[in-house]
Amino acid sequence: MNRSKAGGAGPASGAAARPATRPAFPAQIPGLTSQPAARSAAGAQVAKSGSAGKYGATPAAAPAPQGGGLDSEAVRLALVRRLVAQGLQHPAVERAMATVPRHRFVDSALASQAYEDISLPIGLGQTISQPTIVARMLELLCTGRPLPLGRVLEVGTGCGYQAALLSLLCHEVYSIERLRGLHERARENLRELRLPNLHLLLGDGMAGYPAGAPYAGIVAAAAGPELPGAWLEQLAIGGRLVAPTELSPGQQHLVLIERTAQGLSRQVLDAVRFVPLKSGLG
Ligand code: SAH
């Protein structure tokens, strides 16, 4: 397993040798605004009126981002407002989504679509998930739990977008990708954001990442026919696992697993469509 620091900044650290001091929360993302959390909190406090139910509405098309500064922030906040109108309720998830510049994680030819509520291709046959689904999964991970969460494992780094969001919600994030091309692209995408608590790993996430276990949360961005045993084993007591699972051929659902002192509980939630979980390196 290869491990690299997102953005390549900061001293090497990892699960085996955890840093003595925890990074500040929320992490600052330079180059966006002087106080991203505060600004986005204001943006996210928009009226929840007109709610069309939990993520149920079809969103209006977003205006295109005009560059990387305040204009892109305006379209990003407009997206967050639509997510809130569709049922997103968790303030920290709202803030994170208002902070992370999704357009920097997709090809520049697709940047104008980055704040529409759609999945987009990220190369090598993979996709960045639809913002609605990303928000839903993060909310399932965070709701009712003190933030920041402890250590969290993401399986399927892809372009690194969801990993950046997780880094704003968790103390430490380990994100594994099996395709070297995407692992490297994610590192590039994340370089400028300088998120010292985000660790990118190249490997087969079906084995989890035992060196970082136990995890307060595990989130997968690819669907297999069942949940790998390693993920269940690496979940801490009190931890949650959120993963798309193909419970019958062609039928995927989000599955939420919680580990308590008594054992594991399982809920089958929304119908979804994710790329397949594959074993080995690509
Ligand atoms: N969260 C990502 C979504 C990426 S799509 C984002 O924000 O962009 C899902 C990713 O899971 C793909 O990049 C795919 O290569 C990866 N994947 C599939 N099976 C995997 C495995 N066993 N281990 C690690 N990554 C895997």
Side-chain angles (χ1 to χ4, degrees), residues 105 122-124 126-129 134 154-163 176-179 182 203-207 220-223 231 274-280:
F105 290 84
I122 54 174
L124 302 179
Q126 309 302 315
T127 53
I128 181 175
S129 305
V134 174
E154 180 190 38
V155 178
T157 311
C159 65
Y161 171 68
Q162 183 169 283
I176 307 187
E177 173 57 56
R178 64 180 285 278
L179 299 177
L182 284 178
D204 181 356
M206 286 180 76
W231 299 357
F274 279 78
V275 296
L277 183 70
K278 293 186 175 172
S279 59

Side-chain angles (χ1 to χ4, degrees), residues 113-241:
Q113 297 174 63
Y115 297 106
E116 292 176 30
D117 191 20
I118 52 176
S119 60
L120 291 169
I122 54 174
L124 302 179
Q126 309 302 315
T127 53
I128 181 175
S129 305
Q130 191 182 351
T132 302
I133 299 294
V134 174
R136 170 75 166 139
M137 293 176 83
L138 295 177
E139 216 170 31
L140 287 169
L141 213 57
C142 295
T143 296
R145 308 173 78 196
L147 294 183
L149 298 178
R151 286 192 304 279
V152 167
L153 175 69
E154 180 190 38
V155 178
T157 311
C159 65
Y161 171 68
Q162 183 169 283
L165 293 168
L166 284 168
S167 81
L168 301 183
L169 299 165
C170 312
H171 269 306
E172 297 286 335
V173 180
Y174 297 91
S175 181
I176 307 187
E177 173 57 56
R178 64 180 285 278
L179 299 177
R180 182 180 294 275
L182 284 178
H183 167 76
E184 286 173 358
R185 196 168 302 171
R187 198 169 47 197
E188 275 304 305
N189 292 340
L190 289 159
R191 191 180 300 282
E192 269 187 47
L193 303 186
R194 295 183 181 277
L195 302 167
N197 62 338
L198 171 53
H199 312 276
L200 300 183
L201 311 163
L202 176 64
D204 181 356
M206 286 180 76
Y209 182 56
Y215 294 102
I218 299 179
V219 56
E226 55 194 31
L227 296 172
W231 299 357
L232 303 175
E233 284 160 22
Q234 291 172 26
L235 200 58
I237 291 178
R240 285 188 198 156
L241 160 59

Side-chain angles (χ1 to χ4, degrees), residues 83-95:
L83 296 177
V84 168
Q86 291 169 68
L88 171 60
Q89 290 181 346
H90 199 293
V93 176
E94 287 176 33
R95 274 198 298 278

